[in-house]
Amino acid sequence: MRDLDVKNIHDSVHGTIRLEDWMVEIIDTPEFQRLRRIKQLGFADLVYPGANHTRFEHSIGTLYVAKMLTDDAEILASALLHDIGHAPFSHSGEGIVRKYLGKEHEDVRDILMNSRIREILEENGMDWKNVARGILKPPVSSVIDVDRIDYLMRDSHYTGVAYGIVDFDRLIKTLDFDGENVYVSIKGVRAIESLLISRYLMYSAVYHHHVCRIAKKMFEKAVEWMISENELDPRRLVEMDDHDIISAMRNSCGFPKEIVSRLDSRRLYKRAVYAPKQDIGINIEKIDTKRAEREIAEVVGLDEHEIIVDVPGYRSEEYDIPVYVNGEFVSVEEISPLVRALKNAHMQNWRMGVYCPAEHVDSVRKTSIDYFDINTSTQQKLSDILDL
Amino acid sequence: MRDLDVKNIHDSVHGTIRLEDWMVEIIDTPEFQRLRRIKQLGFADLVYPGANHTRFEHSIGTLYVAKMLTDDAEILASALLHDIGHAPFSHSGEGIVRKYLGKEHEDVRDILMNSRIREILEENGMDWKNVARGILKPPVSSVIDVDRIDYLMRDSHYTGVAYGIVDFDRLIKTLDFDGENVYVSIKGVRAIESLLISRYLMYSAVYHHHVCRIAKKMFEKAVEWMISENELDPRRLVEMDDHDIISAMRNSCGFPKEIVSRLDSRRLYKRAVYAPKQDIGINIEKIDTKRAEREIAEVVGLDEHEIIVDVPGYRSEEYDIPVYVNGEFVSVEEISPLVRALKNAHMQNWRMGVYCPAEHVDSVRKTSIDYFDINTSTQQKLSDILDL
Amino acid sequence: MRDLDVKNIHDSVHGTIRLEDWMVEIIDTPEFQRLRRIKQLGFADLVYPGANHTRFEHSIGTLYVAKMLTDDAEILASALLHDIGHAPFSHSGEGIVRKYLGKEHEDVRDILMNSRIREILEENGMDWKNVARGILKPPVSSVIDVDRIDYLMRDSHYTGVAYGIVDFDRLIKTLDFDGENVYVSIKGVRAIESLLISRYLMYSAVYHHHVCRIAKKMFEKAVEWMISENELDPRRLVEMDDHDIISAMRNSCGFPKEIVSRLDSRRLYKRAVYAPKQDIGINIEKIDTKRAEREIAEVVGLDEHEIIVDVPGYRSEEYDIPVYVNGEFVSVEEISPLVRALKNAHMQNWRMGVYCPAEHVDSVRKTSIDYFDINTSTQQKLSDILDL
Amino acid sequence: MRDLDVKNIHDSVHGTIRLEDWMVEIIDTPEFQRLRRIKQLGFADLVYPGANHTRFEHSIGTLYVAKMLTDDAEILASALLHDIGHAPFSHSGEGIVRKYLGKEHEDVRDILMNSRIREILEENGMDWKNVARGILKPPVSSVIDVDRIDYLMRDSHYTGVAYGIVDFDRLIKTLDFDGENVYVSIKGVRAIESLLISRYLMYSAVYHHHVCRIAKKMFEKAVEWMISENELDPRRLVEMDDHDIISAMRNSCGFPKEIVSRLDSRRLYKRAVYAPKQDIGINIEKIDTKRAEREIAEVVGLDEHEIIVDVPGYRSEEYDIPVYVNGEFVSVEEISPLVRALKNAHMQNWRMGVYCPAEHVDSVRKTSIDYFDINTSTQQKLSDILDL
């Protein structure tokens, strides 16, 4: 009898997921249950009202994808636990954790070591240090990994963007993990193309959507304010859930209270500038955003909290997924004209933004154009066009 | 040019939804934005991790379904606003609102009258009283209505239960609203069958799932405790969101703090009794649940908060949807053997439950069996079987 | 490297299906390739224009489902080959094969024995007699079997009826084959319900749709005519494909040519009578349809080919699928109120039909009502209603 | 009552499609019913077993898409009738019709004029000449048209390739037809991208799949043989269905009989050469394929029927779909980096092929490499890689 003592979870993306006893034990810890209350896409529901899914389901989904590639319990545990160190509102809190705690959300050693999770792992013959290390290695983290396969599919499902594009069935049948790297067979090239198309569309429509970025930046500014005013101990962030941080902001005074009220009622900052790389006259690598915010605020006569300068990292996403063909590995970029095309298109979507309250957009725009030496001739048209 | 000045919302169930200006204005009010932070299915995510969707998207989805049936602006406004009076965690808070405020969540007159919404309605030529009344009438509320068409589809999408069963396309093409009633043409009988199958499955797998009911009852008990201890003004419930109520419970002491901690870490009460009607020796209509909880607690030596007696209303869901055939209306029950079958099966799924902390299940079961004169011969088997 | 020498087939229902070498060899035989040219649902495309799928893909899909339950090569071969003996237009030709060749389409011994398939099986260590026998046994043929799981899902996909209702993922995870029987674990009851709902809807909307039955009966009458006139050797039916039989009908004269012209241009016979069991005054078990057609034709003054009397077998579909619970097997009918409901509803959809050219409907109806002693009071309404 | 006298068709791609009376009348003509028996993708089922859909459903689907853009009855009739002149096996027969009848399949004047269709059109106030002309004009035929929107979605559905990529809902909401041209609003750019991604993938995986092209070319060679031998009157092609042509080939002798037997049993010609443009030493524009086949055959000592030289037109698909932005039209290529990328990638997939029976591949390859001056260094690798 196959199913009698098995615990299943009903996942809206992957269907019924079977769990072994140790997985259930880990999921039942308070540290893991906390992930139920951390939204996967932060404030993306302001643009896509369905985007309310959580790190909890994504973590279990990542385990599911990992199970397709390996039976190694430590790797499966890494997949399940890879997000255990996320701050509230997911990546929206990531920059802060990095800045104040000097570590990435993937660095979960403290959490594993000091919780019941360590015991569960050890009771089941796993070394918790290996599990912690596994979070940073293939197949949990690499050019193509189980984490991003799950989140691309899941974020598509809940936003309704690019839904159904990933050919998961074929992808997983042609993907392999040899203990060191994740790669595809030559029969998987089309499936990889489907994954990269999906990623391209998700970046332009969701992850880099200007409204998502504005809300995220507003939230981060409020959290930093609370930390700098000693209203919030940054070490507590990895224990808090979304309720806690919103509650803290509501109970704060001044700036965080104003920000949470803006987020609640969707009175977001607006774009004063939204410029592609080639329109920016200065070297974007050298921009100090804090200083820029302060200096622009000063010229315009605003408080520095009212200006957000957003300079996303200007680097291509990784496209060099290894394909196994005729006994050797070749990058999918070499094989697929479509992948080369996507890589090229990806860079052209990059934008620097300057955001501020709606009533100050005109003055901030004027000042920012000078400050960053922006070529204005194409500005109006571009911002219209890209506000799809 | 068709689309130029139109605001669209990207819905994960219905796709792109177009909104007129007045709809956007209503959606932008703080009263409506609050619905973003009220989960549609309360604590159902404890069973279905994807069930994190909100009243916000459901309200817009209900508007979408209504637009398929009518152009009447007041009816569309009723559809959009029908849930504006919900307490946090949706129906989980409904019993409390009814008990303490003496009104149904549908009674939204106060909210409309005292907010900017009233002005928006009036500026667009609508009578806000008609809009308030419309929430209780077809096509927003009736045997078959736009509210439940949306929530059945949406709850399916996010739980993954019974997904894709409703033949929405055919349903909406064969449905009509004549100003008084919603009915289907004879060509819509199959689509109605699909809706009722979906409803049957959603009730047994989600709405009446014992874990969902236990969590809901635990939450309600905690909220009632706060009200009775003057920690919470029940009139504030219709202004609070999920963050507020969880935060209030965490800041409370004693019982609510214990309950929120149990909900957070999924240490829920367990079933001591789970009995179908025919196994209960006493008249279920006459059960006073508060008194039963007190008396059972006393016998077992527990606090009355630790016992939950759950007696759902024993009545059939409505199945008499009118079908227009040969110039007259006939109930779909008369036409469809399947609908008659579903109605009969529906009643057989009813269960009375007694729930308590895991460590007291045995003693509470023993006492409850006496108290309610329960036929125990079938108990064990049934609870096993129904715990699917 | 997982995928290198593997042959995949891209199936529109199950996705990528991997095939072992011996499977590819069987699929490549002319006997199996013939199934590409035999439509799975006969003339159902006259009602559902998308229903053009073939026995070829269904056979490979059945193999896929079987692979989920067993690794036994002989059973997999039985699943793959179970339809190899079908006559053109699938079940539309089934009655004829049975009548003239005295065997069921499942009896494929001759085909296996006399073709390259036998050698392929033997070269791969299989006993072709076991493979032939396996077609008639679980898990290929039983109350719940891999054949009907595939065809229900596939016929849904191509007709668009009841699409997505079967929860295949959960079904297959809770289904087991113990070497003798197929059964489900208690956790599979909901999935079985989904399968039976789908089957119920497919029967009423497709398999028993009166237009599908009329076309099938017209075709069978034409084929029988050709056999009785020695225009067609019935033994050749298992070698012919849909092109062959249509071509034979077009090249025939008189009746078959008339029928193929009617089928081509969709000038089908119409219903003169369409009666549920309780409206028929005589014992349906005793009806001799050939004689009835002749006698009604005589009264009305028509040729006997112009009358079709269709009396489907009056028996319930099988619902007693075994469920494994607490160490014993229980029929799903005992556990699920919904299954009992479906069984009851199923019988109420049965209809006897009398069909003839449109211009004779009135006279044939009158005569048939007398002949079968039909209660006419409910006739008009019922036929309207059921013509959904 | 909305639905009472309406005829619906259940389409597996678009769901329920409503038809007006005149549409039903046209669909009921023998000329239109013939399309039920012409497969949309010819022999693509040899690669994708689900690809058995027909011109019939595609024609009705095209009507459905057209109805989203216009109410003009003549345009709707053009959409419905645009494929009425197709030869058997669709595009597989297109080259022959063009060559022997000197007209495109879109030239349906003869069929309209000489059938009941003309009367139906005129009885409903339409000018049949406008309807015939409309087939060649927007929105039925243009850079973006209702024909290709339907076939891309439909071919995806039945092959399982790129399924679900087209965001039809958003596409149709942002598309407009101004009486002269079809274009999108700026909000439709993402939807256009989804359409073009789908088209790109369908071309590489289906339309230009080497097995599909080989089968198509084999079939065309057999049909041309029958015409040249006076076994087949090319004027009859527009009246024949798939059964007729297969039957004619089976009844032929020599070459067509051999080809149909090969197609039936999937013994197809194989690739001797498969070369991208940059590897071909001579000017591809100047290749006379008939002469090349003859000359290569002579060198190798084969019959010229046994060699197929396939030189697809080397031109980009059209990408310059007009987008309406800020009061003017801009090509989507200017706006979307992704579209530019796809256009570039598209050309890189082009291949010239030389095909012949498996046993002659080596000798034909050698001769062809000389004949076309092909750079062989990359040949082996490329053909491996592209045979995905």
Side-chain angles (χ1 to χ4, degrees), chain C residues 159-346:
Chain C
T159 57
V161 172
Y163 185 50
I165 290 189
V166 177
D167 187 347
F168 179 70
D169 176 55
R170 192 171 181 89
L171 180 61
I172 219 66
K173 282 205 176 95
T174 55
L175 213 59
D176 208 0
F177 172 63
D178 63 8
E180 296 223 344
N181 289 296
V182 179
Y183 58 94
V184 287
S185 81
I186 187 66
K187 292 190 177 176
V189 169
R190 290 243 170 75
I192 289 293
E193 288 178 342
S194 76
L195 187 79
L196 296 179
I197 290 169
S198 164
R199 188 174 73 174
Y200 175 87
L201 294 172
M202 289 303 289
Y203 266 94
S204 68
V206 181
Y207 305 143
H208 283 175
H209 190 288
H210 69 278
V211 173
C212 298
R213 285 200 74 84
I214 289 172
K216 168 189 156 91
K217 288 282 169 186
M218 289 171 66
F219 171 78
E220 286 186 357
K221 241 178 145 68
V223 173
E224 287 198 55
W225 192 93
M226 289 194 291
I227 293 173
S228 67
E229 300 287 316
N230 292 319
E231 288 190 1
L232 181 67
D233 178 349
R235 283 167 302 187
R236 278 203 52 230
L237 280 171
V238 296
E239 296 160 14
M240 297 169 82
D241 63 17
D242 293 358
H243 297 309
D244 289 321
I245 194 83
I246 291 295
S247 175
M249 289 169 78
R250 287 180 181 167
N251 291 331
S252 172
C253 46
F255 184 64
K257 199 179 180 69
E258 158 72 8
I259 290 295
V260 78
S261 159
R262 280 182 169 273
L263 290 169
D264 279 355
S265 55
R266 212 180 181 279
R267 288 177 296 110
L268 304 180
Y269 287 6
K270 299 290 176 199
R271 281 177 299 178
V273 166
Y274 202 55
K277 187 163 181 288
Q278 69 269 23
D279 286 357
I280 303 169
I282 67 170
N283 183 344
I284 59 169
E285 310 267 327
K286 301 209 170 144
I287 296 174
D288 174 342
T289 55
K290 289 291 153 211
R291 185 174 152 190
E293 289 171 356
R294 210 162 49 233
E295 293 178 354
I296 294 169
E298 206 172 314
V299 175
V300 186
L302 291 173
D303 189 281
E304 69 182 279
H305 297 114
E306 291 175 289
I307 309 281
I308 289 171
V309 172
D310 181 24
V311 186
Y314 186 77
R315 51 180 178 73
S316 170
E317 277 299 303
E318 295 163 322
Y319 283 90
D320 53 334
I321 295 166
V323 182
Y324 188 79
V325 50
N326 296 342
E328 52 176 336
F329 289 101
V330 183
S331 167
V332 72
E333 291 183 59
E334 282 186 49
I335 294 171
S336 163
L338 182 61
V339 171
R340 291 194 295 277
L342 287 171
K343 186 177 182 178
N344 184 36
H346 184 88

Side-chain angles (χ1 to χ4, degrees), chain A residues 1-8 10 14-18 64 68-69 167 169-176 183-188 324, chain C residues 1-8 10 14-18 64 68-69 167 169-176 183-188 324:
Chain A
M1 193 53 230
R2 299 206 291 183
D3 194 47
L4 218 52
D5 294 317
V6 173
K7 177 85 181 165
N8 289 319
H10 212 89
H14 298 300
T16 305
I17 299 179
R18 295 180 170 218
Y64 175 83
M68 303 272 147
L69 289 186
D167 188 347
D169 176 55
R170 193 170 181 89
L171 180 62
I172 218 65
K173 281 203 176 94
T174 54
L175 214 59
D176 208 359
Y183 58 95
V184 287
S185 82
I186 186 69
K187 292 190 177 176
Y324 188 80
Chain C
M1 191 54 227
R2 298 206 292 182
D3 195 46
L4 219 54
D5 294 318
V6 174
K7 176 87 180 164
N8 289 318
H10 212 89
H14 299 300
T16 304
I17 299 179
R18 295 179 170 220
Y64 176 82
M68 302 273 147
L69 289 186
D167 187 347
D169 176 55
R170 192 171 181 89
L171 180 61
I172 219 66
K173 282 205 176 95
T174 55
L175 213 59
D176 208 0
Y183 58 94
V184 287
S185 81
I186 187 66
K187 292 190 177 176
Y324 188 79

Side-chain angles (χ1 to χ4, degrees), chain D residues 98-375:
Chain D
R98 198 181 305 127
K99 180 168 174 187
Y100 288 94
L101 306 184
K103 61 180 185 180
E104 299 289 326
H105 77 84
E106 286 93 352
D107 187 348
V108 302
R109 277 170 304 184
D110 291 354
I111 298 171
L112 296 198
M113 193 165 57
N114 299 313
S115 72
R116 164 100 182 95
I117 295 171
R118 174 179 173 174
E119 290 167 44
I120 299 168
L121 293 173
E122 287 173 349
E123 286 161 16
N124 287 277
M126 289 175 254
D127 180 334
W128 70 270
K129 286 180 194 156
N130 286 341
V131 172
R133 271 191 291 267
I135 292 173
L136 304 163
K137 292 194 309 189
V140 180
S141 176
S142 64
V143 184
I144 176 165
D145 62 43
V146 296
D147 177 18
R148 75 180 74 189
I149 291 172
D150 184 79
Y151 76 65
L152 283 173
M153 292 177 69
R154 194 167 301 274
D155 297 344
S156 268
H157 180 74
Y158 287 104
T159 56
V161 173
Y163 185 50
I165 290 188
V166 177
D167 188 348
F168 179 70
D169 176 56
R170 192 169 182 91
L171 180 61
I172 219 65
K173 282 206 175 91
T174 55
L175 213 60
D176 208 1
F177 172 63
D178 64 7
E180 296 223 344
N181 290 297
V182 179
Y183 58 94
V184 287
S185 82
I186 186 68
K187 292 190 177 177
V189 170
R190 291 241 172 75
I192 288 293
E193 288 178 341
S194 75
L195 188 80
L196 296 180
I197 290 169
S198 163
R199 189 175 72 175
Y200 175 88
L201 294 173
M202 289 303 290
Y203 265 94
S204 68
V206 182
Y207 306 143
H208 283 175
H209 190 287
H210 68 278
V211 174
C212 298
R213 284 202 75 85
I214 289 172
K216 170 189 154 91
K217 288 283 169 187
M218 289 170 67
F219 170 79
E220 287 185 358
K221 241 178 145 71
V223 172
E224 287 198 56
W225 192 94
M226 289 193 290
I227 293 172
S228 67
E229 300 287 316
N230 291 319
E231 288 189 4
L232 180 68
D233 178 350
R235 283 167 302 187
R236 278 204 53 229
L237 279 171
V238 296
E239 296 160 13
M240 295 169 84
D241 62 20
D242 292 357
H243 297 309
D244 288 322
I245 195 81
I246 291 294
S247 175
M249 289 168 78
R250 288 180 182 168
N251 291 330
S252 173
C253 45
F255 184 64
K257 199 179 181 70
E258 157 72 8
I259 291 294
V260 78
S261 159
R262 280 182 168 274
L263 290 170
D264 279 354
S265 54
R266 211 177 181 282
R267 288 178 295 111
L268 304 180
Y269 286 8
K270 300 291 176 200
R271 282 178 297 179
V273 166
Y274 202 56
K277 188 164 181 289
Q278 69 269 24
D279 285 357
I280 304 170
I282 66 170
N283 183 345
I284 59 169
E285 311 265 327
K286 300 209 169 146
I287 296 174
D288 174 341
T289 57
K290 289 291 153 213
R291 184 175 155 189
E293 289 170 359
R294 210 164 48 234
E295 294 178 355
I296 293 169
E298 206 170 316
V299 174
V300 186
L302 291 173
D303 188 282
E304 68 182 280
H305 296 116
E306 292 175 288
I307 309 281
I308 290 171
V309 172
D310 181 25
V311 186
Y314 187 78
R315 51 180 178 75
S316 171
E317 279 299 303
E318 294 163 323
Y319 285 89
D320 54 333
I321 296 166
V323 181
Y324 187 80
V325 50
N326 296 342
E328 53 176 334
F329 290 101
V330 183
S331 167
V332 73
E333 290 182 59
E334 282 187 49
I335 294 172
S336 163
L338 182 61
V339 171
R340 291 193 295 276
L342 288 171
K343 186 176 181 177
N344 185 36
H346 183 89
M347 299 305 285
Q348 300 183 41
N349 285 326
W350 185 93
R351 291 294 177 279
M352 179 185 79
V354 181
Y355 315 127
C356 64
E359 61 273 27
H360 304 303
V361 157
D362 285 342
S363 55
V364 172
R365 174 177 292 148
K366 219 170 293 172
T367 306
S368 300
I369 282 171
D370 286 349
Y371 192 89
F372 296 112
D373 188 17
I374 289 171
N375 177 347

Side-chain angles (χ1 to χ4, degrees), chain B residues 249-353:
Chain B
M249 289 168 79
R250 288 180 181 168
N251 291 331
S252 173
C253 45
F255 185 64
K257 198 178 181 68
E258 157 72 8
I259 290 295
V260 78
S261 159
R262 280 181 167 274
L263 291 170
D264 279 354
S265 54
R266 212 179 180 279
R267 288 178 296 111
L268 304 181
Y269 286 7
K270 300 291 176 198
R271 283 177 297 179
V273 166
Y274 203 54
K277 188 164 181 289
Q278 68 269 22
D279 286 357
I280 303 170
I282 66 170
N283 184 343
I284 59 169
E285 310 266 327
K286 301 209 169 145
I287 296 174
D288 174 343
T289 55
K290 288 291 154 211
R291 185 175 151 186
E293 290 170 357
R294 211 164 48 233
E295 294 178 354
I296 293 169
E298 205 170 316
V299 174
V300 186
L302 292 173
D303 189 281
E304 68 183 282
H305 295 115
E306 291 175 286
I307 309 279
I308 290 171
V309 173
D310 181 23
V311 187
Y314 186 77
R315 53 183 176 73
S316 171
E317 278 299 302
E318 295 164 323
Y319 284 91
D320 54 333
I321 296 166
V323 182
Y324 188 79
V325 50
N326 297 342
E328 51 176 336
F329 290 101
V330 183
S331 167
V332 73
E333 291 183 57
E334 283 187 48
I335 293 171
S336 163
L338 182 61
V339 172
R340 291 194 295 276
L342 287 172
K343 186 177 180 177
N344 185 35
H346 183 88
M347 299 305 287
Q348 300 182 41
N349 285 327
W350 186 93
R351 292 293 178 281
M352 179 185 81

